[in-house]
mmCIF file of all heavy atoms in Angstrom:
data_model
loop_
_atom_site.group_PDB
_atom_site.id
_atom_site.type_symbol
_atom_site.label_atom_id
_atom_site.label_comp_id
_atom_site.label_asym_id
_atom_site.label_seq_id
_atom_site.Cartn_x
_atom_site.Cartn_y
_atom_site.Cartn_z
ATOM 1 N N SER A 379 167.741 130.927 71.820
ATOM 2 C CA SER A 379 168.957 131.167 71.057
ATOM 3 C C SER A 379 170.188 130.720 71.835
ATOM 4 O O SER A 379 170.237 130.834 73.051
ATOM 5 C CB SER A 379 169.075 132.654 70.757
ATOM 6 O OG SER A 379 170.357 132.916 70.236
ATOM 7 N N ARG A 380 171.196 130.222 71.106
ATOM 8 C CA ARG A 380 172.475 129.871 71.736
ATOM 9 C C ARG A 380 173.457 131.028 71.592
ATOM 10 O O ARG A 380 174.632 130.882 71.850
ATOM 11 C CB ARG A 380 173.036 128.606 71.099
ATOM 12 C CG ARG A 380 172.682 127.283 71.793
ATOM 13 C CD ARG A 380 171.215 127.077 72.031
ATOM 14 N NE ARG A 380 170.934 125.730 72.574
ATOM 15 C CZ ARG A 380 169.764 125.323 73.014
ATOM 16 N NH1 ARG A 380 168.744 126.160 73.012
ATOM 17 N NH2 ARG A 380 169.584 124.098 73.465
ATOM 18 N N GLU A 381 172.956 132.199 71.166
ATOM 19 C CA GLU A 381 173.860 133.356 71.087
ATOM 20 C C GLU A 381 174.162 133.880 72.481
ATOM 21 O O GLU A 381 173.439 133.594 73.428
ATOM 22 C CB GLU A 381 173.218 134.453 70.230
ATOM 23 C CG GLU A 381 173.406 134.171 68.757
ATOM 24 C CD GLU A 381 173.072 135.364 67.906
ATOM 25 O OE1 GLU A 381 173.460 136.480 68.267
ATOM 26 O OE2 GLU A 381 172.402 135.162 66.886
ATOM 27 N N HIS A 382 175.230 134.680 72.578
ATOM 28 C CA HIS A 382 175.602 135.151 73.903
ATOM 29 C C HIS A 382 175.252 136.622 74.113
ATOM 30 O O HIS A 382 175.049 137.359 73.148
ATOM 31 C CB HIS A 382 177.083 134.907 74.156
ATOM 32 C CG HIS A 382 177.992 135.577 73.181
ATOM 33 N ND1 HIS A 382 178.441 134.976 72.027
ATOM 34 C CD2 HIS A 382 178.542 136.814 73.168
ATOM 35 C CE1 HIS A 382 179.229 135.798 71.374
ATOM 36 N NE2 HIS A 382 179.315 136.922 72.043
ATOM 37 N N VAL A 383 175.187 137.005 75.375
ATOM 38 C CA VAL A 383 174.834 138.369 75.751
ATOM 39 C C VAL A 383 175.879 138.883 76.734
ATOM 40 O O VAL A 383 176.257 138.177 77.665
ATOM 41 C CB VAL A 383 173.448 138.399 76.437
ATOM 42 C CG1 VAL A 383 173.107 139.818 76.882
ATOM 43 C CG2 VAL A 383 172.382 137.890 75.512
ATOM 44 N N VAL A 384 176.357 140.113 76.502
ATOM 45 C CA VAL A 384 177.317 140.740 77.420
ATOM 46 C C VAL A 384 176.593 141.861 78.168
ATOM 47 O O VAL A 384 175.818 142.598 77.576
ATOM 48 C CB VAL A 384 178.517 141.328 76.636
ATOM 49 C CG1 VAL A 384 179.413 142.145 77.555
ATOM 50 C CG2 VAL A 384 179.315 140.211 75.974
ATOM 51 N N ASP A 385 176.841 141.969 79.461
ATOM 52 C CA ASP A 385 176.161 142.956 80.290
ATOM 53 C C ASP A 385 177.193 143.725 81.111
ATOM 54 O O ASP A 385 178.131 143.117 81.642
ATOM 55 C CB ASP A 385 175.206 142.188 81.226
ATOM 56 C CG ASP A 385 174.282 143.105 82.012
ATOM 57 O OD1 ASP A 385 173.991 144.210 81.530
ATOM 58 O OD2 ASP A 385 173.845 142.696 83.101
ATOM 59 N N VAL A 386 177.028 145.059 81.176
ATOM 60 C CA VAL A 386 177.890 145.866 82.061
ATOM 61 C C VAL A 386 176.959 146.654 82.982
ATOM 62 O O VAL A 386 176.601 147.787 82.687
ATOM 63 C CB VAL A 386 178.803 146.812 81.254
ATOM 64 C CG1 VAL A 386 179.742 147.595 82.182
ATOM 65 C CG2 VAL A 386 179.634 146.031 80.241
ATOM 66 N N PRO A 387 176.547 146.051 84.115
ATOM 67 C CA PRO A 387 175.522 146.689 84.942
ATOM 68 C C PRO A 387 176.026 147.900 85.721
ATOM 69 O O PRO A 387 175.283 148.843 85.936
ATOM 70 C CB PRO A 387 175.089 145.577 85.896
ATOM 71 C CG PRO A 387 176.247 144.642 85.960
ATOM 72 C CD PRO A 387 176.934 144.725 84.644
ATOM 73 N N VAL A 388 177.294 147.870 86.159
ATOM 74 C CA VAL A 388 177.905 149.016 86.853
ATOM 75 C C VAL A 388 179.378 149.073 86.441
ATOM 76 O O VAL A 388 179.951 148.046 86.038
ATOM 77 C CB VAL A 388 177.850 148.877 88.405
ATOM 78 C CG1 VAL A 388 176.456 149.080 88.939
ATOM 79 C CG2 VAL A 388 178.417 147.552 88.877
ATOM 80 N N PRO A 389 180.020 150.240 86.553
ATOM 81 C CA PRO A 389 181.440 150.296 86.190
ATOM 82 C C PRO A 389 182.251 149.260 86.989
ATOM 83 O O PRO A 389 181.984 149.026 88.172
ATOM 84 C CB PRO A 389 181.844 151.715 86.579
ATOM 85 C CG PRO A 389 180.579 152.505 86.525
ATOM 86 C CD PRO A 389 179.490 151.562 86.932
ATOM 87 N N GLY A 390 183.179 148.635 86.314
ATOM 88 C CA GLY A 390 184.033 147.642 86.972
ATOM 89 C C GLY A 390 183.451 146.248 86.995
ATOM 90 O O GLY A 390 184.066 145.318 87.539
ATOM 91 N N LEU A 391 182.281 146.067 86.421
ATOM 92 C CA LEU A 391 181.671 144.722 86.408
ATOM 93 C C LEU A 391 181.117 144.425 85.016
ATOM 94 O O LEU A 391 180.350 145.221 84.466
ATOM 95 C CB LEU A 391 180.532 144.654 87.430
ATOM 96 C CG LEU A 391 179.859 143.286 87.611
ATOM 97 C CD1 LEU A 391 180.844 142.262 88.180
ATOM 98 C CD2 LEU A 391 178.653 143.391 88.550
ATOM 99 N N ALA A 392 181.549 143.306 84.438
ATOM 100 C CA ALA A 392 181.006 142.871 83.141
ATOM 101 C C ALA A 392 180.654 141.398 83.270
ATOM 102 O O ALA A 392 181.283 140.671 84.044
ATOM 103 C CB ALA A 392 182.045 143.066 82.038
ATOM 104 N N SER A 393 179.653 140.959 82.530
ATOM 105 C CA SER A 393 179.316 139.532 82.601
ATOM 106 C C SER A 393 178.904 139.042 81.227
ATOM 107 O O SER A 393 178.582 139.832 80.335
ATOM 108 C CB SER A 393 178.187 139.288 83.592
ATOM 109 O OG SER A 393 176.957 139.556 82.971
ATOM 110 N N ILE A 394 178.917 137.732 81.093
ATOM 111 C CA ILE A 394 178.509 137.130 79.816
ATOM 112 C C ILE A 394 177.727 135.860 80.097
ATOM 113 O O ILE A 394 178.015 135.139 81.056
ATOM 114 C CB ILE A 394 179.738 136.840 78.927
ATOM 115 C CG1 ILE A 394 179.303 136.313 77.552
ATOM 116 C CG2 ILE A 394 180.717 135.858 79.576
ATOM 117 C CD1 ILE A 394 180.283 136.582 76.443
ATOM 118 N N ALA A 395 176.724 135.608 79.279
ATOM 119 C CA ALA A 395 175.959 134.367 79.439
ATOM 120 C C ALA A 395 175.479 133.911 78.071
ATOM 121 O O ALA A 395 175.531 134.654 77.092
ATOM 122 C CB ALA A 395 174.775 134.597 80.363
ATOM 123 N N GLY A 396 174.988 132.676 78.050
ATOM 124 C CA GLY A 396 174.516 132.087 76.795
ATOM 125 C C GLY A 396 175.686 131.487 76.027
ATOM 126 O O GLY A 396 176.694 131.109 76.618
ATOM 127 N N GLY A 397 175.560 131.434 74.719
ATOM 128 C CA GLY A 397 176.647 130.945 73.883
ATOM 129 C C GLY A 397 176.793 129.436 73.917
ATOM 130 O O GLY A 397 175.968 128.711 74.474
ATOM 131 N N LYS A 398 177.877 128.982 73.304
ATOM 132 C CA LYS A 398 178.154 127.547 73.188
ATOM 133 C C LYS A 398 179.624 127.315 73.509
ATOM 134 O O LYS A 398 180.429 128.226 73.418
ATOM 135 C CB LYS A 398 177.950 127.099 71.722
ATOM 136 C CG LYS A 398 176.548 126.950 71.254
ATOM 137 C CD LYS A 398 176.467 127.118 69.733
ATOM 138 C CE LYS A 398 177.388 126.198 68.963
ATOM 139 N NZ LYS A 398 176.821 124.903 68.632
ATOM 140 N N PHE A 399 179.968 126.091 73.804
ATOM 141 C CA PHE A 399 181.376 125.748 74.007
ATOM 142 C C PHE A 399 182.179 126.182 72.765
ATOM 143 O O PHE A 399 183.241 126.794 72.861
ATOM 144 C CB PHE A 399 181.494 124.242 74.228
ATOM 145 C CG PHE A 399 182.782 123.821 74.874
ATOM 146 C CD1 PHE A 399 182.819 123.487 76.217
ATOM 147 C CD2 PHE A 399 183.962 123.776 74.149
ATOM 148 C CE1 PHE A 399 184.010 123.108 76.823
ATOM 149 C CE2 PHE A 399 185.160 123.405 74.741
ATOM 150 C CZ PHE A 399 185.178 123.064 76.082
ATOM 151 N N THR A 400 181.633 125.840 71.596
ATOM 152 C CA THR A 400 182.324 126.093 70.330
ATOM 153 C C THR A 400 182.743 127.553 70.152
ATOM 154 O O THR A 400 183.787 127.841 69.578
ATOM 155 C CB THR A 400 181.400 125.685 69.153
ATOM 156 O OG1 THR A 400 180.956 124.346 69.378
ATOM 157 C CG2 THR A 400 182.091 125.788 67.824
ATOM 158 N N THR A 401 181.903 128.477 70.656
ATOM 159 C CA THR A 401 182.168 129.904 70.388
ATOM 160 C C THR A 401 182.835 130.601 71.587
ATOM 161 O O THR A 401 182.801 131.826 71.672
ATOM 162 C CB THR A 401 180.853 130.623 70.028
ATOM 163 O OG1 THR A 401 179.880 130.330 71.030
ATOM 164 C CG2 THR A 401 180.330 130.186 68.681
ATOM 165 N N TYR A 402 183.455 129.803 72.487
ATOM 166 C CA TYR A 402 183.987 130.413 73.718
ATOM 167 C C TYR A 402 184.999 131.519 73.425
ATOM 168 O O TYR A 402 185.087 132.499 74.155
ATOM 169 C CB TYR A 402 184.634 129.344 74.617
ATOM 170 C CG TYR A 402 186.001 128.894 74.148
ATOM 171 C CD1 TYR A 402 187.162 129.518 74.604
ATOM 172 C CD2 TYR A 402 186.136 127.875 73.212
ATOM 173 C CE1 TYR A 402 188.411 129.133 74.155
ATOM 174 C CE2 TYR A 402 187.378 127.485 72.765
ATOM 175 C CZ TYR A 402 188.515 128.117 73.235
ATOM 176 O OH TYR A 402 189.763 127.737 72.781
ATOM 177 N N ARG A 403 185.770 131.390 72.367
ATOM 178 C CA ARG A 403 186.834 132.364 72.103
ATOM 179 C C ARG A 403 186.222 133.733 71.754
ATOM 180 O O ARG A 403 186.710 134.772 72.191
ATOM 181 C CB ARG A 403 187.704 131.857 70.947
ATOM 182 C CG ARG A 403 189.081 132.496 70.869
ATOM 183 C CD ARG A 403 189.786 132.103 69.585
ATOM 184 N NE ARG A 403 189.046 132.544 68.407
ATOM 185 C CZ ARG A 403 189.018 133.790 67.963
ATOM 186 N NH1 ARG A 403 189.707 134.738 68.559
ATOM 187 N NH2 ARG A 403 188.281 134.110 66.899
ATOM 188 N N LEU A 404 185.115 133.695 70.987
ATOM 189 C CA LEU A 404 184.438 134.946 70.624
ATOM 190 C C LEU A 404 183.755 135.552 71.845
ATOM 191 O O LEU A 404 183.751 136.767 72.043
ATOM 192 C CB LEU A 404 183.389 134.672 69.535
ATOM 193 C CG LEU A 404 183.927 134.036 68.254
ATOM 194 C CD1 LEU A 404 182.794 133.736 67.288
ATOM 195 C CD2 LEU A 404 184.952 134.966 67.596
ATOM 196 N N MET A 405 183.178 134.670 72.675
ATOM 197 C CA MET A 405 182.529 135.145 73.908
ATOM 198 C C MET A 405 183.561 135.845 74.793
ATOM 199 O O MET A 405 183.325 136.916 75.343
ATOM 200 C CB MET A 405 181.911 133.969 74.666
ATOM 201 C CG MET A 405 180.765 133.299 73.932
ATOM 202 S SD MET A 405 180.218 131.794 74.762
ATOM 203 C CE MET A 405 179.500 132.439 76.269
ATOM 204 N N ALA A 406 184.724 135.203 74.920
ATOM 205 C CA ALA A 406 185.789 135.752 75.764
ATOM 206 C C ALA A 406 186.227 137.118 75.232
ATOM 207 O O ALA A 406 186.351 138.088 75.987
ATOM 208 C CB ALA A 406 186.961 134.780 75.785
ATOM 209 N N ARG A 407 186.410 137.194 73.930
ATOM 210 C CA ARG A 407 186.829 138.465 73.319
ATOM 211 C C ARG A 407 185.817 139.560 73.624
ATOM 212 O O ARG A 407 186.157 140.662 74.041
ATOM 213 C CB ARG A 407 186.953 138.253 71.800
ATOM 214 C CG ARG A 407 187.326 139.482 71.015
ATOM 215 C CD ARG A 407 186.966 139.312 69.546
ATOM 216 N NE ARG A 407 185.506 139.217 69.359
ATOM 217 C CZ ARG A 407 184.914 138.833 68.235
ATOM 218 N NH1 ARG A 407 185.624 138.470 67.188
ATOM 219 N NH2 ARG A 407 183.591 138.781 68.140
ATOM 220 N N ASP A 408 184.527 139.255 73.435
ATOM 221 C CA ASP A 408 183.484 140.266 73.603
ATOM 222 C C ASP A 408 183.383 140.741 75.048
ATOM 223 O O ASP A 408 183.212 141.929 75.315
ATOM 224 C CB ASP A 408 182.126 139.708 73.133
ATOM 225 C CG ASP A 408 182.089 139.535 71.619
ATOM 226 O OD1 ASP A 408 183.051 139.976 70.945
ATOM 227 O OD2 ASP A 408 181.108 138.958 71.115
ATOM 228 N N VAL A 409 183.485 139.809 76.009
ATOM 229 C CA VAL A 409 183.316 140.245 77.397
ATOM 230 C C VAL A 409 184.562 140.995 77.877
ATOM 231 O O VAL A 409 184.453 141.962 78.642
ATOM 232 C CB VAL A 409 182.925 139.066 78.329
ATOM 233 C CG1 VAL A 409 184.082 138.150 78.653
ATOM 234 C CG2 VAL A 409 182.321 139.621 79.620
ATOM 235 N N VAL A 410 185.737 140.610 77.389
ATOM 236 C CA VAL A 410 186.948 141.360 77.788
ATOM 237 C C VAL A 410 186.901 142.758 77.162
ATOM 238 O O VAL A 410 187.200 143.752 77.825
ATOM 239 C CB VAL A 410 188.238 140.587 77.417
ATOM 240 C CG1 VAL A 410 189.473 141.455 77.668
ATOM 241 C CG2 VAL A 410 188.336 139.289 78.212
ATOM 242 N N ASP A 411 186.478 142.855 75.909
ATOM 243 C CA ASP A 411 186.324 144.188 75.283
ATOM 244 C C ASP A 411 185.447 145.084 76.149
ATOM 245 O O ASP A 411 185.758 146.248 76.394
ATOM 246 C CB ASP A 411 185.667 144.060 73.892
ATOM 247 C CG ASP A 411 186.680 143.695 72.800
ATOM 248 O OD1 ASP A 411 187.894 143.779 73.074
ATOM 249 O OD2 ASP A 411 186.252 143.319 71.692
ATOM 250 N N ALA A 412 184.320 144.513 76.626
ATOM 251 C CA ALA A 412 183.390 145.314 77.439
ATOM 252 C C ALA A 412 184.029 145.680 78.776
ATOM 253 O O ALA A 412 183.868 146.802 79.258
ATOM 254 C CB ALA A 412 182.099 144.529 77.664
ATOM 255 N N ALA A 413 184.785 144.749 79.352
ATOM 256 C CA ALA A 413 185.365 144.970 80.679
ATOM 257 C C ALA A 413 186.447 146.053 80.653
ATOM 258 O O ALA A 413 186.630 146.758 81.648
ATOM 259 C CB ALA A 413 185.941 143.665 81.221
ATOM 260 N N VAL A 414 187.158 146.168 79.541
ATOM 261 C CA VAL A 414 188.283 147.118 79.514
ATOM 262 C C VAL A 414 187.910 148.431 78.807
ATOM 263 O O VAL A 414 188.758 149.303 78.661
ATOM 264 C CB VAL A 414 189.550 146.496 78.844
ATOM 265 C CG1 VAL A 414 189.953 145.219 79.557
ATOM 266 C CG2 VAL A 414 189.341 146.246 77.353
#
Side-chain angles (χ1 to χ4, degrees):
S379 170
R380 267 53 174 172
E381 279 193 43
H382 59 268
V383 178
V384 172
D385 188 27
V386 183
V388 287
L391 184 65
S393 82
I394 184 154
K398 284 155 55 88
F399 199 103
T400 308
T401 51
Y402 77 92
R403 200 189 61 76
L404 302 177
M405 294 172 68
R407 178 199 66 192
D408 290 353
V409 76
V410 173
D411 278 347
V414 303

